[in-house]
Amino acid sequence: MNDTIHIYHTNDLHSHFESWPRIEKFLAKRKKWHEETGDEMIVVDVGDHIDRSHPFTEGTYGKGNIKLLNEAGYQYAAIGNNEGITLPHNKLDELYINADFKVLAANIYDLNGDRPAWAVPSFIHETKKGMKVGLIGVTAYYQKYYELLEWKITDPFQAIETEIEHLKNKADIIVLLSHLGLYDDERIAEDYPDVDVILGSHTHHVLHEGKEIRNTLVCGAGKYGYYVGHVELNGIGHDMVKKARVYEPRNLEPAQGEEHFAEDLYKAGKNELSTIVAHLPVDLTSEWFEPSDLPRLLCEGLTEWCKADCSFLNSGLILEMLPKGAVTKFDIHRICPHPINPCVAELQGNELKEILLQSKSEEWPELQIKGLGFRGRIMGNMVYDRIEFNGTDIKINGEPLHKDQTYRLAIPDMFTFGHFFPHLQRLENKHYYMPEFLRDILELQICKAGSSADGLF
């Protein structure tokens, strides 16, 4: 059987819509080309298309993104962690209700063990000439976070193995949509030679011509719509010829209306978030390198929300001040767009002291941060609630810190990731509050500030 199959793939758009008109035009043009030559075309997204840091996604809870995928002719999609663990349970359950494409998610279930109605673990795409392409989708194994949102996530490698067994005698080709990251993709290629192609994501890697590992072609198309991936397959089995490349939308033909497209989506999101939540009697300031109102209010709210003994956070979480007058949900989203959750760590006093002294490092304020949910620019000064420093002596709630006492420390969850505070990263006794974001706490604090200026300033 001689069939040529073209697979076009995007991943990790993160609601960066600037290139979307060109991507849509490019895919439409390619569809016409392949129809004229009798070739098969498959279009997939490999997750993290949504990002709630964008007002259009926030205002529609991601359904606007699904509409864009529909309009661009996508046929299959995997889910990423931004779809899976930044949406409340009911919002993820509703996200794909109007999707014109199949959602491939082999390792997510309801808590009762049933697969959600919107997901299938794999699917066989049959070409016009009768070739069968088996497609599998898996997402990152963030077990603790999915459980907090009342989902059950299973080991993706076990899910892949199960679906390969299901497909290998039925499909001519097996393609994996992997939202696991490049390291895991390379491991899959080594361990599961029945997988012909891996379309990767999550770690935002770009493989310009793919990477051959044993029998598998590993691919990745970066992030933010900077690239569109293209895999061409000819033949089956050991005689199959596989080619991969990426296209840069900036080098593609301009699309009609592209200059206003992203701006219009931003305005649409602003309109969705236009509900007034408070009226401020005074301006609320926000500074990154000196004390100011909004970071302090957020820090105080974090302690209260988490029923903690104390808290600290970085002032760079607040991007702008708020002038007196009406405050909308859009205003709160604009100044605190991060998909970051509150977290409580339970620590002994000596552990807490070590972390608090680390937080005073002079390197923090100017540190530029990328990822981990942070959507700002720099760390900014640390802000503390119920914590006092006198050199290396520390008081919590006005009392000297006792090294053998257990304390509840409230922090942004990003402090438990990466390499900011290694002890927090390793600590077992942490609780993440989900689906609440820091901006939900900030909104409550701003509502208090709107009702009374006394005691807050």
Side-chain angles (χ1 to χ4, degrees), residues 333-384:
H333 183 274
R334 173 175 53 83
I335 68 170
C336 191
H338 329 277
I340 292 176
N341 304 98
C343 177
V344 162
E346 292 194 9
L347 305 135
Q348 295 298 107
N350 59 334
E351 298 173 306
L352 177 59
K353 181 175 182 178
E354 178 185 347
I355 287 164
L356 292 178
L357 292 177
Q358 287 176 10
S359 76
K360 299 293 284 185
S361 169
E362 294 180 358
E363 298 177 1
W364 288 123
E366 297 283 357
L367 182 66
Q368 295 186 11
I369 314 171
K370 291 184 182 292
L372 307 176
F374 187 73
R375 303 295 187 256
R377 289 174 50 202
I378 61 173
M379 182 75 82
N381 285 350
M382 293 297 181
V383 180
Y384 303 89

Side-chain angles (χ1 to χ4, degrees), residues 104-277:
L104 304 174
N107 61 323
I108 186 169
Y109 299 85
D110 292 318
L111 287 181
N112 62 10
D114 292 338
R115 197 175 297 282
W118 45 267
V120 295
S122 61
F123 188 80
I124 294 178
H125 176 104
E126 188 167 348
T127 72
K128 293 181 288 291
K129 295 181 180 179
M131 281 190 67
K132 295 179 179 179
V133 182
L135 298 144
I136 305 168
V138 287
T139 197
Y141 188 48
Y142 292 136
Q143 185 179 27
K144 181 185 295 185
Y145 311 108
Y146 274 101
E147 287 179 354
L148 288 170
L149 293 167
E150 300 184 330
W151 296 107
K152 179 183 177 183
I153 197 84
T154 62
D155 182 276
F157 291 88
Q158 292 179 2
I160 291 166
E161 191 167 333
T162 297
E163 295 310 312
I164 289 172
E165 287 302 310
H166 172 68
L167 292 173
K168 68 180 183 180
N169 294 321
K170 300 177 182 178
D172 301 303
I173 299 169
I174 295 179
V175 177
L176 175 67
L177 280 61
S178 165
H179 200 89
L180 303 180
L182 181 57
Y183 176 80
D184 282 350
D185 291 350
E186 291 174 339
R187 177 183 160 192
I188 292 164
E190 289 283 357
D191 293 347
Y192 300 100
D194 288 312
V195 176
D196 295 291
V197 178
I198 298 174
L199 306 177
S201 61
H202 189 48
T203 45
H204 301 177
H205 50 283
V206 185
L207 299 175
H208 290 269
E209 295 181 346
K211 182 177 182 179
E212 287 273 5
I213 299 177
R214 297 187 67 184
N215 188 52
T216 305
L217 179 63
V218 180
C219 305
K223 63 178 181 178
Y224 301 168
Y226 294 158
Y227 300 93
V228 178
H230 175 202
V231 176
E232 182 179 339
L233 305 174
N234 289 278
I236 58 175
H238 295 296
D239 297 326
M240 186 189 304
V241 178
K242 308 169 190 174
K243 297 178 183 178
R245 65 167 297 179
V246 295
Y247 303 90
E248 295 185 62
R250 66 179 180 175
N251 297 329
L252 299 175
E253 292 180 9
Q256 185 176 0
E258 66 176 26
E259 63 273 16
H260 302 297
F261 183 80
E263 180 183 352
D264 289 345
L265 291 185
Y266 189 89
K267 289 178 179 177
K270 181 178 180 180
N271 185 60
E272 291 283 348
L273 299 171
S274 61
T275 303
I276 295 174
V277 297

